[in-house]
């Protein structure tokens, strides 16, 4: 049927064919394919796309010739064979992002990926024109990851009814959780592709508690079918991450066992093993008297730690505890909202980014300014209004110019966040501390330059001279300063 | 010998007599008295003041006639009898401070005491002129409690040798820990009296680890004798509190059992049962992986909780855990020192004070600005240079105009620190949060006024109208704002 179709590495091969449309094909028809490369076999699930159309999508990860053969419980869908030629990736295609060197991320081609995420939960459920504006804003921003929901959102400032739903039905008439609405999914796919065009990873939130439609209270069978359908449709998009939930611990209809099962269903059905995590509401460790607990990020199917927490100091501990990349996917949002999670200053938002980075972790942005239109970036997208995004851009340029950072043997004292690569590079962030000078205990026998970085003013000043061993740096006694210490290249 | 001498209530009665001066009277002579009022007896220890002088000091707490009779292992010091008339206290004498209503403090006459402490560890060990300047600075400040050490301090910026020591001897020749130096103690007493004249409580630190003289490593017998001597000399001063240590957990020569014993020795020898606590260095709860622990403030002889911690959020938890007054006796210091504990901004220092107050706790100030003379308030006293003291004064005026604050049934949301008296008074502090408006859920059937307080600008603005039940207040979307909500008096 399809032969020697060219697909670039980490691109998407798609096989479309026809089959039965009677009954409920979403529930009743099994359709899959085996893709083969030499002795290797990859199992890929297909999906029903409505109107008698059946689709298999496949993201090849190795250049050369792949063959495939379909399988199905419907004779007309089984035994379809073909081949494809996987070619070199195009210039801006580095493949999907995965974990790199325990605490970091890299694209599949080895290019380091420093996530600078933002949050716009349901920008994809907004009117077309607003979606365009959001993509425009993103294209000019620092952000290369966005947290966004599959399901629409019911919450303050979020009461409009969206145009499309993942399932057939409506709020008034109810939903059939056993039948998907392909038009919703095609739209979501075009949104994910638009993000890919901008170099942005879609951190897709698969469940969330802010719900008036019943999506947060489906049965186990419905949940699992939804996840399998989603994997079949979306796992071939190289820029998706799976966030099992936003604030999972507010979804009172689900148990820890449900979340375990969801992780396994995803593992079994994602041919490309995209990044997987889950995001909390409670803050264990904040209250001595709190019994709250998180989903155990130590479980093997959790690829990286996605945390809601306002205190970036803990990043150092979390790195040691989990030995996975730490992404603080909510540390409160820059804005002036009535709600406490949405009214921090730009200074504080930026300080979270710097502290997280200088502890070897990653931080996600959000913005919540009151405005007469009630179009708020955190949920709807639109325009960025805050003071932090430009400064996050500046931080991103600093981070991408340096190596991936980890714990160092050099102790820069407890009031500074610091990370680096021993003997090569150190990033030291003082935050609200403002020492008038500091004695550094750099390694002996290596010579360093020291840059003073004013993180708010976005200025880098090279301090005079070279530094080695125990040495003194004079500092401006001003908040929000950082040091970048780099080995002199001989 | 002494008859019907008049001593005001909570003043100091002193009996001086002569006795043996041979051998070591500090170690060998027992001298005490029983003071009787009706059927009540108070045991009071005396002390040797050098040159053959023996002294009994007594602070009467009840007006009327008291009689006394001495006891001693030396015949000439035993059986001395007399009486005193305890008169009404003078206008500014409210008695010693004690615990009031579980979480607060009051003077013995019932006047509430809101501690607004500062820290000047060894101002009392500095040259005379500098001591005068410190007292001058204090007299114009908000501070009504000062943390200060009995022993001199050895640490960065603290290398000068003091003039006097609690014991006979010198660094060069060594010290005799069994012989006190009365001239040191008389000076300390005059310093405590000078503070009393300014309405300032002396939070005396009895041990500390910053030592080059051996005071941190005395034997158990020497420690206990030192404590008994100190109680005999100082417990009749109404403005003393006992802080068993600064950073007790850095005194590696002492065990938890030693600290328990010190508390008991003090309990047994302090006829006036002054406030007692102990101050930590480690921060349990900050690191998930930390094993640090505090002295257990729950033990019955600890009157109030004295904590070093930078995060005032915990005050709410500590109140519930300990059911004692919470005093955060170090939350880092305003300044620009090289050390992390001494380089926070005035904004942050003030925010600690407000957050502590608005959670029903108390916070202590300190200041550490680099200067060419190396005279730093935190240790030496001198001049206050920071931006926080004037604003702490403003907070003090707010707190003293209101009631003592506790947990309320009204929830002002988690991003605000709040405390009050239900139905009467609420203090709500937003800190770095900056909501553009807030929905308040005040009690129904009561009418309130709302004052917006700009804590940094020190401005109180009465918001228009009156407020009751669920109501909205418009806020400036600016950091460091507070609300004072007061029942309208009919």
């Amino acid at each position: 049927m399809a032969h020697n179709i060219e697909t670039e590495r980490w691109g998407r091969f798609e096989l479309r064919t026809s089959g039965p449309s009677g009954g409920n094909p979403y529930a009743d028809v099994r359709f899959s394919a085996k893709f083969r490369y030499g002795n290797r076999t990859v199992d890929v699930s297909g999906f029903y796309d409505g109107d008698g159309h059946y689709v298999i999508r496949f993201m090849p990860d190795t250049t050369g010739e792949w063959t495939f053969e379909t399988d199905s419980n419907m004779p007309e869908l089984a035994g379809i064979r073909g081949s494809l030629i996987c070619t070199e990736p195009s210039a801006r295609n580095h493949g999907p992002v995965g974990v790199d060197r325990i605490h970091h991320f890299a694209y599949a081609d080895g290019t380091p990926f420093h996530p600078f995420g933002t949050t716009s939960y349901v920008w994809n459920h907004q009117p077309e024109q607003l979606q365009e504006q959001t993509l425009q804003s993103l294209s000019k921003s620092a952000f290369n990851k966005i947290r966004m929901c599959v399901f629409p959102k019911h919450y303050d400032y979020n009461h409009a009814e969206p145009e499309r739903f993942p399932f057939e039905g409506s709020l008034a008439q109810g939903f059939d959780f056993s039948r998907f609405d392909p038009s919703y999914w095609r739209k979501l796919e075009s949104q994910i592709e638009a993000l890919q065009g901008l170099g942005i990873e879609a951190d897709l939130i698969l469940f969330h508690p802010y719900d008036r439609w019943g999506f947060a209270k489906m049965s186990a069978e419905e949940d699992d079918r939804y996840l399998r359908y989603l994997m079949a449709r979306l796992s071939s998009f190289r820029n998706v991450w799976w966030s099992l939930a936003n604030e999972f611990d507010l979804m009172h209809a689900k148990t820890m066992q449900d979340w375990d099962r969801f992780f396994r269903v995803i593992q079994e059905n994602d041919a490309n093993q995209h990044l997987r995590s889950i995001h909390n509401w409670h803050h264990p460790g904040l209250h001595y008297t709190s019994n709250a607990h998180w989903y155990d990020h130590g479980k093997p199917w959790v690829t990286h730690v996605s945390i809601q927490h306002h205190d970036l100091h803990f990043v150092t501990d979390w790195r040691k505890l989990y030995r996975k990349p730490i992404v603080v996917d909510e540390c409160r949002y820059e804005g002036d909202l009535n709600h406490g999670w949405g009214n921090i200053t730009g200074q504080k938002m930026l300080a979270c980014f710097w502290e997280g980075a200088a502890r070897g972790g990653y931080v996600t942005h959000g913005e919540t300014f009151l405005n007469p239109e009630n179009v708020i970036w955190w949920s709807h997208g639109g325009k960025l209004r805050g003071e932090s995004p430009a400064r996050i851009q500046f931080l991103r340029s600093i981070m991408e110019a340096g190596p991936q950072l980890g714990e160092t043997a050099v102790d820069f004292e407890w009031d500074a966040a610091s990370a680096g690569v021993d003997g090569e590079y150190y990033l030291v962030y003082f935050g609200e501390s403002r020492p008038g000078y500091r004695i550094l205990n750099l390694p002996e026998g290596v010579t360093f330059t020291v840059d003073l970085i004013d993180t708010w003013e976005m200025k880098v000043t090279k301090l005079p001279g070279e530094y080695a061993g125990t040495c003194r740096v004079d500092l401006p006694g001003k908040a929000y300063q950082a040091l970048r210490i780099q080995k002199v290249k001989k």
Side-chain angles (χ1 to χ4, degrees), chain A:
Chain A
M1 203 181 153
H3 279 293
N4 290 340
I5 290 175
E6 289 202 349
T7 303
E8 69 177 77
R9 191 179 180 194
W10 307 306
R12 187 165 56 259
F13 168 81
E14 189 171 288
L15 171 73
R16 298 187 78 87
T17 186
S18 296
S21 58
N24 182 355
Y26 298 107
D28 303 336
V29 178
R30 284 189 288 99
F31 181 46
S32 64
K34 287 185 189 301
F35 285 77
R36 291 196 177 87
Y37 182 94
N39 287 324
R40 184 174 160 216
T41 301
V42 180
D43 289 303
V44 176
S45 303
F47 63 91
Y48 183 59
D49 198 28
D51 301 322
H53 298 299
Y54 288 81
V55 180
I56 297 273
R57 287 177 178 163
F58 174 62
M59 182 178 81
D61 60 10
T62 310
T63 54
E65 192 187 15
W66 291 78
T67 60
F68 63 83
E69 179 174 1
T70 65
D71 187 24
S72 176
N73 58 344
M74 298 290 156
E76 64 265 53
L77 294 172
I80 304 169
R81 295 177 189 194
S83 66
L84 65 107
I85 304 294
C86 177
T87 60
E88 290 295 330
S90 52
R92 296 183 59 224
N93 172 2
H94 301 287
V97 173
V99 171
D100 185 39
R101 298 175 60 247
I102 302 170
H103 292 110
H104 300 284
F105 298 99
Y107 292 104
D109 73 353
T111 307
F113 176 76
H114 298 263
F116 281 83
T118 188
T119 308
S120 191
Y121 287 121
V122 285
W123 74 275
N124 47 315
H125 287 277
Q126 305 307 311
E128 205 66 37
Q129 208 181 337
L130 187 49
Q131 292 183 34
E132 283 308 314
Q133 193 184 49
T134 305
L135 290 168
Q136 265 292 335
S137 300
L138 286 170
S139 73
K140 292 177 288 185
S141 80
F143 303 118
N144 59 13
K145 175 172 97 76
I146 190 165
R147 284 181 65 74
M148 57 185 281
C149 299
V150 174
F151 293 121
K153 177 167 181 161
H154 170 72
Y155 192 78
D156 292 3
Y157 307 99
N158 286 269
H159 296 290
E161 199 65 7
E163 221 178 293
R164 298 178 194 84
F165 295 92
F167 297 103
E168 279 186 16
S170 67
L171 183 61
Q173 291 159 16
F175 291 91
D176 182 347
F177 296 133
S178 74
R179 287 180 175 272
F180 298 94
D181 179 349
S183 77
Y184 164 85
W185 292 94
R186 280 180 217 123
K187 181 67 195 169
L188 179 60
E189 287 153 10
S190 75
Q191 290 158 337
I192 293 171
E193 287 209 308
L195 293 171
Q196 184 183 292
L198 299 175
I200 297 171
E201 302 291 302
D203 195 4
L204 274 184
I205 296 164
L206 308 186
F207 292 99
H208 67 245
Y210 335 106
D211 178 56
R212 66 172 170 265
W213 304 274
F215 305 138
K217 292 180 181 174
M218 301 190 297
S219 71
E221 191 190 346
E222 289 157 353
D223 284 339
D224 292 358
R225 191 189 299 117
Y226 156 72
L227 289 175
R228 288 194 306 268
Y229 190 75
L230 193 143
M231 290 300 126
R233 287 203 76 116
L234 302 181
S235 71
S236 56
F237 289 75
R238 67 173 169 269
N239 65 320
V240 294
W241 301 22
W242 314 128
S243 179
L244 267 67
N246 214 61
E247 301 185 334
F248 84 92
D249 40 345
L250 294 181
M251 296 196 70
H252 302 299
K254 305 290 178 227
T255 66
M256 282 291 187
Q257 287 69 35
D258 288 325
W259 298 111
D260 287 348
R261 196 181 76 250
F262 294 164
F263 271 106
R264 287 198 309 270
V265 169
I266 292 171
Q267 260 193 318
E268 290 161 12
N269 287 274
D270 174 4
N272 301 296
Q273 298 295 302
H274 291 283
L275 291 164
R276 289 179 295 266
S277 196
I278 184 167
H279 166 275
N280 62 288
W281 178 62
H282 280 104
H283 282 43
L286 183 59
H287 294 278
Y288 281 101
T289 47
S290 165
N291 289 317
H293 54 197
W294 285 347
Y295 186 86
D296 180 2
H297 295 290
K299 290 185 177 175
W301 42 63
V302 180
T303 56
H304 64 287
V305 180
S306 169
I307 280 177
Q308 172 172 190
H309 206 291
H310 65 286
D311 190 347
L312 280 292
H313 193 278
F314 289 110
V315 168
T316 304
D317 279 352
W318 293 328
R319 280 175 49 110
K320 288 181 202 162
L321 274 179
Y322 297 117
R323 290 187 57 79
K324 295 181 182 183
I326 306 300
V327 185
V328 180
D329 268 324
E330 197 171 335
C331 59
R332 302 173 73 183
Y333 304 135
E334 180 182 359
D336 61 1
L337 216 62
N338 50 318
H339 295 298
W341 44 260
N343 61 29
I344 66 169
T345 60
Q347 279 88 344
K348 196 162 177 76
M349 180 94 250
L350 186 68
C352 288
F353 265 80
W354 270 90
E355 178 159 9
R359 293 185 182 280
Y362 300 95
V363 182
T364 301
H365 162 270
E367 191 182 288
T368 43
F369 283 98
L370 292 168
N371 63 78
E373 298 78 28
N374 281 339
V375 172
I376 307 180
W377 177 265
W378 130 88
S379 210
H380 315 97
K383 275 186 280 190
L384 285 161
R385 301 158 195 258
E387 296 181 290
S388 67
R391 294 168 170 96
I392 292 169
Q393 179 82 270
F394 171 74
L395 170 61
R396 182 175 164 185
S397 71
I398 301 261
M399 296 309 292
E400 290 187 342
Q404 291 165 328
L405 306 183
E407 215 182 337
T408 70
V410 179
D411 178 4
F412 291 96
E413 302 193 29
W414 61 263
D415 64 325
S418 67
V421 176
D422 263 315
E424 295 285 337
Y425 184 102
Y426 303 93
L427 190 69
V428 184
Y429 176 59
F430 294 109
E432 287 185 292
S433 295
R434 49 167 187 181
Y437 72 92
R438 187 56 60 105
I439 305 300
L440 305 179
N441 292 298
L442 300 176
E444 302 284 349
V446 191
T447 312
F448 296 91
T449 57
V450 178
D451 293 320
L452 174 67
I453 302 174
D454 188 319
T455 67
W456 188 252
E457 300 298 338
M458 298 183 275
K459 272 190 203 148
V460 180
T461 309
K462 188 168 181 295
L463 296 186
E466 298 190 339
Y467 298 79
T470 297
C471 53
R472 173 183 166 131
V473 285
D474 287 307
L475 298 170
K478 191 180 167 192
Y480 305 129
Q481 306 298 301
L483 296 179
R484 179 172 56 183
I485 302 168
Q486 298 180 89
K487 183 182 173 182
V488 176
K489 303 240 185 323
K490 303 279 161 147

